[in-house]
Amino acid sequence: MTSRYDLFLKVVELGSFTKAGATLHYSQSAISQAVKALEERLGTRLLDRSKEPMALTADGQAYLPYFLGIVQAERALERKEDEMRGLLDAHVRLGIFTSVGRTLLPPLLYEFKERYPGVRFDLSQGEYDSIRSQLVSAQIDLGFLNEQGAGELGFERVYRDRMVVVLSRESPLAAKEMVSLKELATEPYIELDEGRRSVAVEGFHALGLEPRYACKVYDDYTILSMVRQGLGYSILYSLAVTGADKDVAVRPITEKLERSIVLAYTNEATLPLAARRFLEFARLRLPSLVRSLGLAR
């Protein structure tokens, strides 16, 4: 609804009740009555109706900056109301993998929902290839990916995470301070399913080695349980084994194996409002959250 101040400013701009009414789709009499009511409220004449086009009186000139400020504030309020309506009963579809969902995501969602309590999150858990596929097919709005697989997608860099070897405490290699891929190649390997590209397997192949595969598992928790039972070793990301070294032996690997994780999207400009707000919020908060976990950007 157009306010009396907006109507008044349009009359000032066009110098006529009739022209202002035609522009704003109000009758001439409605515009005239709105201006008259404003003048009565202020107890003064704002327009000199004897001139053609109509002009501001001295009092009208004095009030004009305040009317402009009121109209600007009204429009800002309308934009904010529209924005908040867009975030009520809205949802963000987010693709995640296990270690992000267990460590980084909970505090990020908690802080975001304190600001926007009406937003609901639909989380889709998978590995990089499935998350990327869901992004491309618009099944999700945002997704955490390995930067190597982001391709043409837009993204925000989140953190870099180095891989470590996870061994049962009974393994002879658990006595070492650091373990090489050559030493691991002859032991049963429980492979983390990362999709088509496995950082650890690529590390073996770069050295001309082939690991002794026992099985491939997607879930980090399942892998840790299998390692505890002595079924083999695994190579996992340090974020995934945070707090797990009480039950298993976690050792650094001689070779540098790491991933760079990003928060990806297809087109930021066309994201739903709630997803765009979450992306903007993540940009601000992720650096400090990443540092608190001891990760590198």
Side-chain angles (χ1 to χ4, degrees):
M1 182 178 176
T2 307
S3 74
R4 66 175 69 177
Y5 304 102
D6 230 338
L7 297 177
F8 178 81
L9 292 179
K10 186 58 68 175
V11 172
V12 172
E13 176 188 346
L14 300 176
S16 164
F17 291 139
T18 302
K19 291 179 181 179
T23 301
L24 298 174
H25 307 291
Y26 281 78
S27 67
Q28 183 272 340
S29 62
I31 297 288
S32 177
Q33 289 171 13
V35 172
K36 184 179 179 181
L38 183 58
E39 290 177 324
E40 289 175 351
R41 177 178 176 273
L42 297 174
T44 188
R45 294 292 293 270
L46 300 172
L47 291 172
D48 185 350
R49 293 163 173 78
S50 67
K51 296 182 178 180
E52 184 63 38
M54 285 186 291
L56 288 165
T57 63
D59 284 349
Q61 290 281 5
Y63 275 114
L64 184 61
Y66 298 96
F67 296 158
L68 288 168
I70 290 171
V71 169
Q72 289 171 357
E74 286 176 339
R75 289 174 181 168
L77 178 60
E78 288 173 0
R79 289 194 298 270
K80 185 63 177 178
E81 288 173 343
D82 289 341
E83 176 186 308
M84 294 306 294
R85 277 195 291 269
L87 292 178
L88 293 176
D89 198 29
H91 67 281
V92 177
R93 301 170 302 169
L94 183 62
I96 64 170
F97 48 87
T98 304
S99 59
V100 162
R102 185 168 69 90
T103 55
L104 192 62
L105 193 61
L108 189 65
L109 295 190
Y110 178 82
E111 292 184 23
F112 183 80
K113 285 183 71 65
E114 280 193 319
R115 183 174 299 186
Y116 300 111
V119 176
R120 184 180 79 250
F121 283 84
D122 297 337
L123 303 180
S124 176
Q125 191 164 326
E127 36 74 30
Y128 308 136
D129 291 337
S130 64
I131 293 171
R132 188 184 190 285
S133 177
Q134 289 180 80
L135 275 171
V136 172
S137 61
Q139 297 177 60
I140 57 176
D141 305 309
L142 303 163
F144 287 93
L145 295 175
N146 188 327
E147 185 174 347
Q148 288 179 309
E152 76 286 357
L153 296 172
F155 60 79
E156 177 75 15
R157 287 184 179 87
V158 180
Y159 67 88
R160 284 183 289 112
D161 194 5
R162 192 161 184 174
M163 299 194 91
V164 293
V165 61
V166 184
L167 306 145
S168 72
R169 291 198 171 276
E170 290 71 33
S171 169
L173 293 176
K176 298 177 67 69
E177 291 186 3
M178 183 174 287
V179 183
S180 70
L181 291 178
K182 184 176 181 180
E183 292 172 305
L184 293 169
T186 58
E187 301 294 320
Y189 175 40
I190 304 169
E191 182 187 356
L192 170 67
D193 185 358
E194 295 190 85
R196 287 175 295 177
R197 298 189 64 172
S198 166
V199 173
V201 172
E202 288 178 356
F204 279 113
H205 290 172
L207 298 175
L209 300 170
E210 190 68 29
R212 181 184 158 198
Y213 297 103
C215 58
K216 180 187 286 190
V217 181
Y218 164 74
D219 182 70
D220 297 328
Y221 286 117
T222 303
I223 290 175
L224 289 170
S225 179
M226 294 176 75
V227 170
R228 289 188 196 101
Q229 294 299 314
L231 297 175
Y233 74 92
S234 189
I235 298 175
L236 299 176
Y237 292 99
S238 56
L239 185 62
V241 298
T242 301
D245 53 355
K246 295 178 181 178
D247 305 312
V248 293
V250 178
R251 299 289 182 268
I253 300 172
T254 305
E255 294 77 13
K256 186 178 180 180
L257 304 177
E258 65 177 19
R259 63 180 173 181
S260 181
I261 294 301
V262 301
L263 181 57
Y265 46 86
T266 54
N267 186 335
E268 183 174 356
T270 59
L271 281 172
L273 178 60
R276 195 162 66 249
R277 288 290 179 270
F278 179 71
L279 178 60
E280 293 166 355
F281 181 79
R283 284 194 180 110
L284 292 173
R285 290 295 297 126
L286 279 171
S288 59
L289 288 175
V290 164
R291 285 195 298 272
S292 72
L293 291 169
L295 298 168
R297 288 277 286 176

